């Protein structure tokens, strides 16, 4: 019974090893494929070619890189250099050199890279000739740069529950400077417009710690807590067409 039990255990380990090798190979193909999607940017010269000579250089470069990248020797060499999975090397028939990349394609017309690896994994059984055929695939679109999107509509800045919009995020109404005053100083304190400060509807009913209140030059309320949301300004950038009935800021709106 013991030999049968050991064979069953080794059979289970073989199945687990198949899954582990499959995952390891998938990770290696991704590590091989991702740089190719970036390096292939060198092939995207068609839009920059102005004359016949540039077009010929482009064609030569394209053929050279394609033949190099997807030769069996190149992909196999990369795998042998970067594959650190020692168990995978031992259980894959032929090791890294036993992996076939036949059928891999770098298609510059469709802007895609497709790598496929075919190999056999040896079962972890003594004196066994059982081998399982396995395949892994990697597919990705080539990176060809990007074009900066041109925003035709004017963008403005708004805050939650605000009645105005701002043309710039550096507006002093968005960048508050908080200072502290005592209860005795509060009566004589005035904001930038010369108005007196009133109690904040959010925290004004609370007792100020150590008799200290928080005010801003642009605000019209005094706050008993520095954590009051009335002292915070979280600005959101939105198109001007989405501000609804909000009016321009009395300060930065004059710049329009």
């Amino acid at each position: 019974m013991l030999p049968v039990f050991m064979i069953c255990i080794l059979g289970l380990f073989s199945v687990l090893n198949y899954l582990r090798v499959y995952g390891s190979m998938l990770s290696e193909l991704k590590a091989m494929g991702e740089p190719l999607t970036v390096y292939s940017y060198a092939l995207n010269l068609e839009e920059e070619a102005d004359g016949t000579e540039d077009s010929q250089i482009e064609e030569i470069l394209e053929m050279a890189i394609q033949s190099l990248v997807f030769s069996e020797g190149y992909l196999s060499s990369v795998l042998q250099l970067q594959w650190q999975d020692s168990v995978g090397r031992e259980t894959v028939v032929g090791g890294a050199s036993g992996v076939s990349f036949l059928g891999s394609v770098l298609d510059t017309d469709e802007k895609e890279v497709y790598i496929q690896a075919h190999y056999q994994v040896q079962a972890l059984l003594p004196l066994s000739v059982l081998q399982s055929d396995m395949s892994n695939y990697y597919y990705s679109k080539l990176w060809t740069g990007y074009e900066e999107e041109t925003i035709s509509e004017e963008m403005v800045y708004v805050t939650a529950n605000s009645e105005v919009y701002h043309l710039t995020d550096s507006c002093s109404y968005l960048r508050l400077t908080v200072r502290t005053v005592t209860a005795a100083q509060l009566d004589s304190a005035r904001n930038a417009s010369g108005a007196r400060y009133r109690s904040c509807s959010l925290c004004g009913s609370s007792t100020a710690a150590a008799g200290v209140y928080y005010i801003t030059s642009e605000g019209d309320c005094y706050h008993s807590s520095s954590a009051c949301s009335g002292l915070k300004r979280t600005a959101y950038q939105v198109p001007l067409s989405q501000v609804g009935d909000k009016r321009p800021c009395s300060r930065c709106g004059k710049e329009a």
Side-chain angles (χ1 to χ4, degrees):
M1 293 296 294
L2 182 58
V4 175
F5 175 75
M6 293 301 298
I7 291 176
C8 292
I9 293 298
L10 291 175
L12 177 60
F13 284 164
S14 294
V15 174
L16 295 177
N17 183 62
Y18 293 154
L19 297 177
R20 193 190 60 76
V21 172
Y22 181 88
S24 175
M25 185 65 68
L26 188 62
S27 177
E28 294 301 327
L29 292 190
K30 182 179 179 182
M32 295 168 61
E34 287 183 343
L36 293 178
T37 63
V38 178
Y39 297 155
S40 60
Y41 182 65
L43 301 178
N44 190 34
L45 304 176
E46 182 176 357
E47 295 181 358
E48 301 178 4
D50 298 327
T52 305
E53 183 178 355
D54 290 337
S55 298
Q56 292 176 346
I57 294 176
E58 174 195 348
E59 293 176 359
I60 294 174
L61 178 61
E62 180 173 343
M63 289 187 295
I65 294 182
Q66 283 181 317
S67 61
L68 171 64
V69 166
F70 284 100
S71 66
E72 280 281 305
Y74 173 78
L75 292 176
S76 180
S77 297
V78 172
L79 180 63
Q80 293 185 48
L81 289 174
Q82 71 180 27
W83 198 17
Q84 303 298 323
D85 185 359
S86 58
V87 178
R89 286 176 175 268
E90 294 176 359
T91 55
V92 171
V93 178
S97 60
V99 180
S100 171
F101 295 96
L102 186 65
S104 300
V105 176
L106 175 62
D107 193 334
T108 55
D109 293 328
E110 297 296 330
K111 308 297 184 185
E112 60 185 17
V113 57
Y114 180 69
I115 304 177
Q116 50 182 317
H118 307 284
Y119 52 96
Q120 292 182 322
V121 180
Q122 178 70 50
L124 302 178
L125 295 174
L127 304 177
S128 174
V129 295
L130 296 178
Q131 299 174 352
S132 297
D133 295 329
M134 300 184 66
S135 298
N136 289 80
Y137 304 91
Y138 172 85
Y139 169 82
S140 177
K141 301 295 288 186
L142 300 182
W143 187 81
T144 56
Y146 70 94
E147 295 182 0
E148 184 176 356
E149 182 180 0
T150 301
I151 302 176
S152 58
E153 186 174 359
E154 182 180 5
M155 303 296 289
V156 296
Y157 299 87
V158 298
T159 60
N161 303 320
S162 66
E163 298 179 354
V164 301
Y165 64 85
H166 306 267
L167 299 182
T168 173
D169 61 348
S170 61
C171 178
S172 58
Y173 284 130
L174 295 178
R175 297 184 178 274
L176 301 179
T177 300
V178 182
R179 70 178 192 273
T180 59
V181 294
T182 63
Q185 296 172 328
L186 191 59
D187 290 337
S188 59
R190 299 292 185 273
N191 63 14
S193 301
R196 299 185 60 179
Y197 292 95
R198 55 186 175 82
S199 176
C200 172
S201 60
L202 300 175
C203 68
S205 60
S206 304
T207 302
V212 175
Y213 294 91
Y214 303 88
I215 59 176
T216 64
S217 298
E218 308 300 338
D220 58 0
C221 295
Y222 63 85
H223 308 265
S224 59
S225 172
S226 60
C228 178
S229 59
L231 291 174
K232 311 297 181 182
R233 292 291 186 271
T234 302
Y236 304 92
Q237 188 179 40
V238 299
L240 181 59
S241 61
Q242 297 182 11
V243 299
D245 57 354
K246 297 181 185 296
R247 64 181 186 278
C249 168
S250 60
R251 175 154 298 184
C252 66
K254 296 179 181 179
E255 299 175 5

